[in-house]
Amino acid sequence: MLRRYTVNHAIFSMLMDLGLTSAALLLAKALRPYLPQAFPFLVPVYNIEIPPLLFIIVPIIWGSVFLIMSVYDPKRIYKAVDEFQVVVIAVGVSTLIFAGILYLGFRDFSRWLLVTFVLIDLFLLLVWRSVARIGFKAGRLPAPSRQVLIVGAGRTGRRVAQMIAHYRWTGLDLTGYLDDDQDKREQGLPVLGSLADVRTVVSRYEIDDVVVALPQRAYGQVNKLIVDLHDLPVQVRVVPDYFSLALYRANVDDFGGLPMISLRDPALNDVQRFVKRMFDLLIAGLSVFSLSPVLAAVALLIKLDSPGGPIMYRQARVGENGRIFYMFKFRTMVPEADQLLAQVTKINAQGQLLFKRPNDPRVTRVGRFLRRTSLDELPQLLNVLKGDMSLVGPRPELPWLVERYEPWQRKRFAVPQGMTGWWQVNGRSDKPMHLHTEDDLYYVQNYSLWMDIYILLKTPWVVLRGKGAY
């Protein structure tokens, strides 16, 4: 149903990509002699020749990689950030393959010519996609219109209607509902008839897609609906009423030829998970190496200030998908802090549980400084290298707090838990548990590598302000 791209448009997109990529190679050749004027460290090069064979190899590499990585799959590129991310990754993979071929057979090819070509290519591919999206949303480019009929005007059906309204620019148009409940018509909803009228309504309004969104008690009518529509040129989809039980998203899997609905699929696809893990390993590895003197100095201060306890503190936390792991921190409290937890835990007037507060009597002098500057969090870089955590994600929670979670709050565990996150850069500990969970869910639902980079860049400023850190 959600198909901004038709097959013809996907073919057009591929031809555009291949054409622009070839044009980028020509532009890079034309610009190379002028680069030393902008970058004096470059050696002037004139009379650049590109072997004609490369103008065949490059489109083959780019086209093959883009197809393999599903750059033209309409189900993966509804959001601009998702489309741009997969294009950047595909260009990166294509570049690595191209560089390998150059090393094996075309060693005279200029390295700076390769860099210029890739940057121009990436710029052109992203710009034309941005223009196309603006054209679709502004109505300047025609999107294939699809009339949608929703069977069931209950909560699930209305959620489908909201989604259709959000993606209206893709050509989706809600024709109305079918429902046997007379009260739904009195609520002002566009109910076109009862379930028995499905064939008449589909034919009269030339419906393209029928979405069955009935409550569980009405599932017995689904078979009859499908039989009634089997000979009509219409797509039929079913939204199970129990999708609300999904931790993040529900997908249909093929298990030995038997379709099954998975309610606990991870929020990140395989490509996103790979990129996020490589990013974590690179940044965390460099950070541990460069910050080793700071880590040693902090360890010495802790030992001098509070010699009776360990330097590092291992605490059980809940990670991705509810898995328990031990998170490392520099010890900032007195050794018997866990026994004093009940003295600082309280419930506010709204019934919200608060266990962090300023002027905690359990915090040592050095510990207060470490918390204010967030230096106590640095050992979690080891957790990142181990794979227990990510640099960015929802904050790993204490098991006893997770036991108090409502079902909707557990959706925050659909991604790797992180050292910093959307909640930390938007309030930190000033927000009680139930509010920062909403921030975490925002991150889960809107994840992208660019969002991770934004949060990492914003984190030092938040740390320097020291707001909400105690």
Side-chain angles (χ1 to χ4, degrees):
M1 180 175 65
L2 274 175
R3 188 173 295 274
R4 177 169 61 90
Y5 290 157
T6 62
V7 174
N8 290 336
H9 189 92
I11 295 173
F12 171 78
S13 299
M14 185 175 183
L15 294 176
M16 280 288 294
D17 288 342
L18 299 183
L20 290 175
T21 298
S22 299
L25 192 56
L26 291 172
L27 283 173
K29 174 186 175 182
L31 290 176
R32 179 62 181 90
Y34 302 99
L35 290 182
Q37 300 177 15
F39 306 99
F41 58 86
L42 292 181
V43 178
V45 178
Y46 303 98
N47 299 322
I48 296 175
E49 293 295 333
I50 299 178
L53 182 59
L54 290 183
F55 285 95
I56 299 176
I57 292 176
V58 166
I60 291 176
I61 295 174
W62 259 248
S64 300
V65 172
F66 276 41
L67 287 175
I68 292 173
M69 300 194 67
S70 303
V71 173
Y72 309 109
D73 184 354
K75 298 178 182 178
R76 296 188 56 186
I77 53 177
Y78 292 127
K79 296 181 180 178
V81 66
D82 292 337
E83 183 173 16
F84 294 166
Q85 179 172 291
V86 72
V87 168
V88 170
I89 295 172
V91 169
V93 173
S94 301
T95 301
L96 291 176
I97 297 174
F98 184 42
I101 292 177
L102 293 177
Y103 177 78
L104 293 175
F106 304 88
R107 295 199 178 188
D108 294 336
F109 195 90
S110 169
R111 288 173 293 178
W112 282 105
L113 180 60
L114 174 62
V115 172
T116 307
F117 157 60
V118 172
L119 292 178
I120 294 175
D121 181 48
L122 192 58
F123 173 77
L124 293 177
L125 296 185
L126 295 181
V127 165
W128 96 258
R129 281 174 165 78
S130 300
V131 172
R133 282 183 171 270
I134 293 173
F136 275 117
K137 290 189 176 182
R140 301 296 177 86
L141 294 177
S145 177
R146 298 190 67 85
Q147 299 299 314
V148 183
L149 175 69
I150 300 177
V151 180
R155 182 185 60 179
T156 304
R158 291 195 295 270
R159 286 186 60 185
V160 174
Q162 292 174 359
M163 181 271 292
I164 292 173
H166 181 72
Y167 287 100
R168 186 180 179 86
W169 61 276
T170 66
L172 294 180
D173 187 13
L174 175 61
T175 303
Y177 299 88
L178 293 181
D179 201 294
D180 291 336
D181 188 354
Q182 296 294 329
D183 293 338
K184 297 294 192 306
R185 304 184 187 187
E186 298 175 0
Q187 294 173 10
L189 297 174
V191 178
L192 305 178
S194 65
L195 272 60
D197 302 322
V198 62
R199 284 186 63 88
T200 303
V201 172
V202 167
S203 300
R204 178 185 303 169
Y205 294 95
E206 299 181 349
I207 300 297
D208 297 295
D209 294 274
V210 174
V211 180
V212 181
L214 295 172
Q216 292 185 29
R217 63 179 181 273
Y219 277 3
Q221 302 183 59
V222 174
N223 286 343
K224 185 177 184 304
L225 282 169
I226 295 175
V227 171
D228 288 343
L229 297 172
H230 80 282
D231 60 333
L232 296 180
V234 63
Q235 296 288 334
V236 181
R237 293 172 173 83
V238 178
V239 182
D241 194 31
Y242 46 81
F243 265 30
S244 59
L245 299 176
L247 279 185
Y248 174 67
R249 58 160 65 96
N251 288 321
V252 178
D253 298 324
D254 186 284
F255 187 75
L258 181 66
M260 292 186 177
I261 297 175
S262 175
L263 297 179
R264 301 194 67 172
D265 271 8
L268 308 184
N269 60 42
D270 292 338
V271 174
Q272 291 174 323
R273 186 173 295 276
F274 174 80
V275 173
K276 187 176 180 67
R277 182 61 182 152
M278 292 298 295
F279 183 75
D280 286 343
L281 289 174
L282 175 63
I283 301 301
L286 292 175
S287 299
V288 170
F289 177 78
S290 60
L291 295 174
S292 54
V294 176
L295 297 173
V298 171
L300 179 61
L301 288 174
I302 293 173
K303 205 62 180 175
L304 292 175
D305 181 57
S306 180
I311 294 174
M312 301 276 282
Y313 180 66
R314 294 172 69 248
Q315 189 177 50
R317 294 290 178 118
V318 181
E320 183 182 12
N321 207 27
R323 180 178 59 84
I324 301 295
F325 73 97
Y326 286 93
M327 187 177 75
F328 301 118
K329 295 182 70 172
F330 280 126
R331 183 172 60 85
T332 59
M333 292 186 176
V334 296
E336 63 275 10
D338 287 342
Q339 287 74 31
L340 303 175
L341 180 61
Q343 300 180 16
V344 297
T345 302
K346 66 177 182 178
I347 298 177
N348 64 14
Q350 289 75 37
Q352 301 156 359
L353 181 66
L354 302 176
F355 68 99
K356 295 183 70 175
R357 68 177 191 180
N359 304 318
D360 192 323
R362 302 172 298 164
V363 180
T364 63
R365 291 176 300 173
V366 170
R368 200 169 301 281
F369 167 76
L370 295 179
R371 288 185 167 209
R372 181 63 60 179
T373 57
S374 292
L375 291 174
D376 62 318
E377 311 282 355
L378 290 181
Q380 290 160 38
L381 290 169
L382 300 177
N383 288 115
V384 174
L385 293 176
K386 287 178 59 182
D388 295 329
M389 296 174 57
S390 176
L391 290 171
V392 181
R395 187 66 179 162
E397 198 62 276
L398 293 165
W400 65 271
L401 281 172
V402 175
E403 292 176 359
R404 298 169 179 260
Y405 271 17
E406 297 178 17
W408 67 271
Q409 291 176 300
R410 293 181 180 270
K411 295 182 180 181
R412 70 193 298 272
F413 298 116
V415 297
Q417 309 296 278
M419 291 182 62
T420 184
W422 191 251
W423 159 55
Q424 287 90 329
V425 299
N426 287 279
R428 304 184 77 182
S429 299
D430 287 344
K431 293 185 178 182
M433 182 181 67
H434 78 292
L435 287 183
H436 81 63
T437 302
E438 292 182 349
D439 286 330
D440 289 337
L441 294 184
Y442 176 83
Y443 171 82
V444 171
Q445 295 164 358
N446 296 274
Y447 166 77
S448 70
L449 179 61
W450 315 118
M451 191 175 190
D452 277 4
I453 295 173
Y454 168 78
I455 292 172
L456 284 176
L457 292 177
K458 190 175 180 180
T459 296
W461 166 248
V462 175
V463 171
L464 289 175
R465 291 175 60 197
K467 183 182 179 185
Y470 43 78

